[in-house]
Amino acid sequence: MLKTFKPGGVHPPENKISAGKSIEVLAIPKTVSIPVSQHIGAPAVALVNRGDEVKVGQVIAKSGGFVSANIHSSVSGKVKKIDIIPDSSGYPKSGIVIDVEGDEWLEKIDRSEELVKDFDLDSKEIVDKIMEAGIVGLGGATFPTHVKLVPPKGMKAEILIINGVECEPYLTSDHRLMLEKANEIVVGTRLLMKAMGIEKGYIGIENNKPDAISLLTEKTKEYPNIKVVSLKVKYPQGGEKQLIKAITGREVPSGGLPIAVGTVVSNVGTAFAVYEAVQKNKPLFERIVTVTGKSVEKPSNFKVRIGTAVSELIEAAGGTPEDTGKIISGGPMMGKAIAKTDVSVTKGTSGILIIKDEESKRRETIACIRCSKCVSVCPMGLEPYLLMTVSQKQMWDAVEANKVMDCIECGSCSYTCPSNRPLLDYIRLGKGKVGQIMRARKN
Amino acid sequence: MSKILTVSPSPHVHSDESVNKIMYRVVLAMMPALAWSVFVFGFDALRVTLTAVAACIVFEYLIQKFLMKVTPSVTDGSAIITGILLAFNVPANIPWWIIIIGALVSIGIAKLSFGGLGNNIFNPALVGRVFLLISFPVHMTSWPVNIQSGVDAVTSATPLGLIKESIKNGQVLSDVLGDVPGTMDMLLGNIGGSLGEVSALLLIVGGIYMLFRKVITWHIPVAVLGSMAIFSGILWLVNPEIFMNPVFHLLTGGAMLGAIFMATDMVTSPMTPKGQIIYGVGIGIITISIRTWGAYPEGISFAILLMNAVTPLINTYIKPKRFGGTK
Ligand code: SF4
Ligand code: SF4
């Protein structure tokens, strides 16, 4: 029997329209706007000034704290300005705008396609290279990878899980990467295992991607300590805690990190970035982005330089369809709707999804019929209907006691509710409030 | 781009589930049992059912529009279910005005006075039924003849009523077993009883459909029927001369109708599987107790209403198993 997680989960239509489209290199734009905060943690600190010449791969902003990451230029050219630019949520964030001239890369970067399989580095050297390259979790969480690789004192990682689940409907960037860069991903996996002194590695892939499963199974044959695990399709299997449960049966304790059960999870995109950083000296300045949607003329998977405007990607996929109602950065379950397309692709951008007008409006909310569907689909064992009610009534004690902080915001509850209740909206509200209260209590 | 884009929090897609769809699936699931009733009790069964449904819809519309001054929600389908379930719980030859009173109690008192769909504590159809049983005991227990019971049907009493009578008269069961319909007749529905409860088999068919369409889960029906079987089985093993066997209990009275269609009412049953099992077992045990020692031959309506009252308590104390929780 195929493995999967318990409890809960839903089966939204997969709509992987762009699954058959090979990765295309997107033309380098005329200008890029690179935000200095593309990760969880402190923003990076700009190192360049207006008028400076930069090369591809050059550090332009330095990690600004323990949990932070370097930012590199994705193009060569001249720094036009350091300015406030809107991030994908529309919030003003500091960023570096560069006018592109040519495509001149740093000397040290190995631009050949040749596979470099072997390495002779100790774990410290690998971690340093990963840190230098500014790698963050590319599955969307954007947590700096080098921080994750050094477990807190007294904790030991035994198992590395590479996340190739891509459970969000529509998105195919990880799928394409697994098909086109399987060898590199395997090397990246070995590097991550070496970095942490881990003996056992798993690559988890849902069985709606049989081609990726068989390819990676073949490529890992020579490494008996890396196993490809085929998983039964269910959303949100790509959630860290759900994936760990599905593969190892272990449950990350409430409020804890995967390391608490001896596991570390990295996305396939991250494993590939690690390969490039360590074996090719290439920092993280480009990534694969799916551009898709039911009305999109040419659904595509692009290799994009960080800082490219979303509008350029949409143009390359055939332009904004007439019937566009909503544009989402990410997938339909957890992605963010964006108000404008002049925002930049960042390290965490996995896809751009264009939703038709008629599908972009919410349906009318009616009374809760207590059908308990939200309870049965919640992968964290919560009671969404109750959390919504107590949040609405501002009963923050009850919100906290009913474990609101465990919610992973997967959206399965809102997706399922037959009364179209905006469960997650209110749960987020409750989470925010309870978070504030908890922080205040600590101080 | 000139177009204004919609910006709203995730998730950006919704399943194609809706309250309407759920309600109409329940209605569909009740159709086989209704068809059987029309076959065995004649056109009366249809008349009673349609009257009940129409009355429920009209009362809901009028009360919401003129008394509560809210937008009527009759299109959600829940009033139709209440109407059919109310009809299923009365004799097929009940006078039209009694069923209308039942509908008023169900919709007006049991449902809307609590705030309407989703807010009521008690199953509306059962409140209506119990009200009628107490107010019109004669009409509510005069059963029409089931045409399938054969020409020599001496009595149109229900099997449960028959047993209750004989025990009261001091007879032992082995004396009256000959008068009780056979298992096959009970399963198919060749027995007397309320309009919609006679065919165990067709009620089960409806239940399987609802399970399949994910309208209900197995927990409540299995807990109700399982606990009825175990409890009555123990009694029967102790003394088969005064206690009926479990098969009899499961196939007679409102056992199937109650376990499959009424105890499973989403609004009035617990939210977690564990809670649902506790609730179901409660219903099963109370039902057998009333049937065995109570004044009425049948007790599942009372049992469900009692456990409806306990449901909020169950929801407060029985929580789902939290992911990564300590227990
Ligand atoms: S969004 Fe939160 S409450 Fe809703 S199903 Fe996901 S984890 Fe559960
Ligand atoms: S899914 Fe919606 S209607 Fe059903 S219990 Fe949850 S909130 Fe209520």
Side-chain angles (χ1 to χ4, degrees):
Chain A
M1 221 182 72
L2 286 170
K3 290 188 169 183
T4 189
F5 64 93
K6 254 194 346 201
V10 291
H11 296 96
E14 291 170 22
N15 287 318
K16 303 272 191 186
I17 311 168
S18 51
K21 302 287 164 65
S22 307
I23 298 171
E24 278 174 66
V25 178
L26 190 78
I28 304 171
K30 290 203 177 61
T31 52
V32 290
S33 300
I34 305 177
V36 294
S37 179
Q38 303 182 27
H39 45 261
I40 289 181
V45 185
L47 292 181
V48 289
N49 290 308
R50 191 172 153 206
D52 284 0
E53 300 273 348
V54 293
K55 287 185 179 171
V56 178
Q58 181 181 333
V59 180
I60 51 172
K62 188 96 198 116
S63 168
F66 177 65
V67 180
S68 184
N70 287 342
I71 307 277
H72 302 78
S73 180
S74 58
V75 293
S76 60
K78 199 178 256 159
V79 176
K80 187 179 171 196
K81 55 181 176 177
I82 305 211
D83 202 0
I84 299 298
I85 51 178
D87 72 359
S88 63
S89 314
Y91 290 114
K93 288 272 171 69
S94 176
I96 299 166
V97 182
I98 302 168
D99 279 326
V100 179
E101 288 160 20
D103 189 27
E104 199 183 325
W105 292 39
L106 285 187
E107 292 282 307
K108 63 165 189 182
I109 302 172
D110 172 2
R111 296 185 67 175
S112 74
E113 282 293 315
E114 198 185 317
L115 180 72
V116 186
K117 253 176 134 173
D118 301 319
F119 49 87
D120 181 28
L121 299 167
D122 66 18
S123 76
K124 171 95 174 52
E125 289 166 321
I126 297 173
V127 175
D128 285 347
K129 282 195 131 179
I130 290 171
M131 175 159 80
E132 176 55 39
I135 296 177
V136 302
L138 294 185
T142 66
F143 188 79
T145 302
H146 65 272
V147 182
K148 193 145 88 174
L149 296 183
V150 185
K153 283 238 154 29
M155 294 197 183
K156 169 92 180 82
E158 309 153 24
I159 295 176
L160 172 71
I161 296 174
I162 298 294
N163 186 347
V165 172
E166 203 163 50
C167 59
E168 274 274 8
Y170 288 98
L171 301 188
T172 56
S173 50
D174 289 348
H175 185 187
R176 289 313 308 179
L177 195 68
M178 287 189 281
L179 292 181
E180 296 177 35
K181 302 286 176 195
N183 287 315
E184 288 82 352
I185 289 169
V186 175
V187 179
T189 307
R190 287 166 49 222
L191 283 164
L192 284 165
M193 288 167 68
K194 179 77 192 280
M196 287 182 288
I198 287 179
E199 297 297 328
K200 193 103 204 85
Y202 294 100
I203 303 177
I205 308 172
E206 286 189 337
N207 74 336
N208 57 355
K209 299 180 264 294
D211 44 1
I213 294 172
S214 59
L215 184 63
L216 277 159
T217 307
E218 187 201 310
K219 302 286 183 197
T220 49
K221 248 196 217 127
E222 53 179 309
Y223 307 106
N225 54 349
I226 303 177
K227 235 185 105 191
V228 174
V229 185
S230 164
L231 301 160
K232 195 171 137 199
V233 177
K234 189 159 75 165
Y235 178 88
Q237 192 134 244
E240 224 169 38
K241 294 180 176 181
Q242 279 62 42
L243 186 58
I244 293 168
K245 171 91 181 184
I247 290 184
T248 68
R250 300 179 188 181
E251 252 178 47
V252 178
S254 167
L257 291 170
I259 191 75
V261 292
T263 54
V264 171
V265 182
S266 270
N267 180 266
V268 282
T270 315
F272 177 67
V274 165
Y275 163 82
E276 291 201 312
V278 180
Q279 305 293 74
K280 299 276 185 179
N281 290 319
K282 185 184 161 201
L284 179 57
F285 58 76
E286 55 185 2
R287 68 157 296 146
I288 316 298
V289 182
T290 301
V291 183
T292 184
K294 286 181 188 159
S295 302
V296 171
E297 199 185 311
K298 291 191 309 191
S300 313
N301 300 292
F302 292 123
K303 186 172 178 184
V304 185
R305 301 284 174 99
I306 301 293
T308 305
V310 165
S311 53
E312 307 249 359
L313 278 70
I314 297 176
E315 274 319 307
T320 313
E322 265 305 301
D323 58 359
T324 299
K326 199 190 244 185
I327 300 182
I328 295 162
S329 168
M333 294 299 286
M334 292 184 79
K336 277 204 175 84
I338 56 178
K340 286 181 163 168
T341 53
D342 57 2
V343 298
S344 302
V345 167
T346 63
K347 293 176 183 177
T349 311
S350 49
I352 299 297
L353 169 60
I354 300 182
I355 303 260
K356 294 200 262 185
D357 210 17
E358 74 228 42
E359 292 177 14
S360 66
K361 302 282 188 302
R362 288 190 173 180
R363 298 178 214 174
E364 194 197 344
T365 298
I366 56 173
C368 169
I369 56 164
R370 310 183 63 79
C371 67
S372 80
K373 286 190 195 292
C374 54
V375 179
S376 60
V377 300
C378 177
M380 298 307 290
L382 307 178
E383 297 149 290
Y385 78 97
L386 180 68
L387 288 172
M388 173 169 171
T389 310
V390 286
S391 260
Q392 269 178 325
K393 292 184 181 156
Q394 313 204 347
M395 296 161 63
W396 309 124
D397 287 348
V399 178
E400 186 180 351
N402 284 291
K403 296 279 171 197
V404 77
M405 297 313 274
D406 281 353
C407 168
I408 58 168
E409 303 188 27
C410 69
S412 300
C413 48
S414 300
Y415 170 81
T416 297
C417 176
S419 293
N420 305 318
R421 298 181 71 71
L423 295 159
L424 182 50
D425 293 3
Y426 282 95
I427 293 171
R428 277 202 193 97
L429 175 78
K431 254 182 110 168
K433 270 282 174 208
V434 169
Q436 270 176 22
I437 294 169
M438 286 168 72
R439 277 192 297 277
R441 205 183 295 145
K442 248 190 229 156
N443 295 336
Chain B
M1 204 174 53
S2 57
K3 199 162 198 161
I4 306 265
L5 294 172
T6 305
V7 178
S8 55
S10 64
H12 306 284
V13 282
H14 193 277
S15 69
D16 54 13
E17 273 303 332
S18 70
V19 171
N20 269 316
K21 284 191 186 165
I22 295 177
M23 296 298 172
Y24 289 118
R25 278 177 210 147
V26 178
V27 172
L28 196 62
M30 294 190 286
M31 288 303 117
L34 178 61
W36 180 260
S37 299
V38 175
F39 174 56
V40 296
F41 296 123
F43 184 68
D44 264 358
L46 197 60
R47 177 184 57 85
V48 168
T49 308
L50 290 179
T51 310
V53 170
C56 283
I57 293 177
V58 169
F59 284 134
E60 179 153 304
Y61 183 85
L62 293 178
I63 294 174
Q64 284 186 322
K65 182 149 181 148
F66 296 107
L67 281 179
M68 299 171 71
K69 305 211 190 305
V70 293
T71 322
S73 57
V74 282
T75 48
D76 65 29
S78 62
I80 302 177
I81 296 180
T82 302
I84 300 178
L85 281 179
L86 179 65
F88 273 23
N89 275 289
V90 299
N93 55 358
I94 198 127
W96 61 270
W97 53 272
I98 292 189
I99 192 84
I100 289 180
I101 293 173
L104 182 60
V105 172
S106 293
I107 295 291
I109 295 176
K111 185 175 175 189
L112 295 180
S113 73
F114 283 89
L117 179 64
N119 298 308
N120 48 299
I121 297 179
F122 298 102
N123 184 319
L126 280 179
V127 174
R129 177 198 185 225
V130 167
F131 178 85
L132 295 182
L133 185 63
I134 294 165
S135 314
F136 309 100
V138 179
H139 289 102
M140 285 292 284
T141 51
S142 311
W143 314 100
V145 174
N146 181 325
I147 59 155
Q148 285 288 305
S149 312
V151 275
D152 59 343
V154 282
T155 168
S156 52
T158 66
L160 280 172
L162 212 73
I163 298 296
K164 188 116 243 173
E165 268 314 297
S166 35
I167 298 280
K168 247 191 228 160
N169 298 340
Q171 287 171 284
V172 288
L173 286 180
S174 41
D175 292 348
V176 288
L177 274 184
D179 299 339
V180 172
T183 305
M184 213 41 179
D185 283 335
M186 295 194 292
L187 183 68
L188 293 176
N190 303 333
I191 53 174
S194 291
L195 192 153
E197 71 183 19
V198 288
S199 174
L201 185 68
L202 292 175
L203 290 166
I204 294 172
V205 168
I208 290 172
Y209 169 77
M210 289 199 294
L211 267 181
F212 182 68
R213 297 307 306 264
K214 301 214 164 77
V215 177
I216 59 170
T217 59
W218 59 268
H219 304 86
I220 293 174
V222 169
V224 173
L225 298 171
S227 59
M228 282 178 71
I230 293 171
F231 189 28
S232 63
I234 293 171
L235 295 175
W236 177 63
L237 287 175
V238 170
N239 188 352
E241 284 297 340
I242 52 170
F243 300 117
M244 282 304 284
N245 63 62
V247 174
F248 174 84
H249 276 294
L250 293 190
L251 295 181
T252 54
M256 288 298 164
L257 178 60
I260 297 170
F261 286 98
M262 292 189 301
T264 54
D265 170 34
M266 294 168 173
V267 177
T268 55
S269 60
M271 301 293 271
T272 59
K274 208 163 135 199
Q276 290 168 355
I277 288 176
I278 295 173
Y279 163 90
V281 168
I283 292 172
I285 290 175
I286 298 171
T287 303
I288 296 294
S289 304
I290 295 177
R291 283 182 179 188
T292 311
W293 299 292
Y296 288 98
E298 171 58 309
I300 196 160
S301 308
F302 295 103
I304 294 173
L305 289 173
L306 279 171
M307 290 312 288
N308 284 166
V310 183
T311 294
L313 203 67
I314 295 179
N315 283 336
T316 307
Y317 289 103
I318 306 295
K319 295 292 178 185
K321 193 199 157 298
R322 310 284 194 205
F323 187 98
T326 36
K327 306 184 284 185

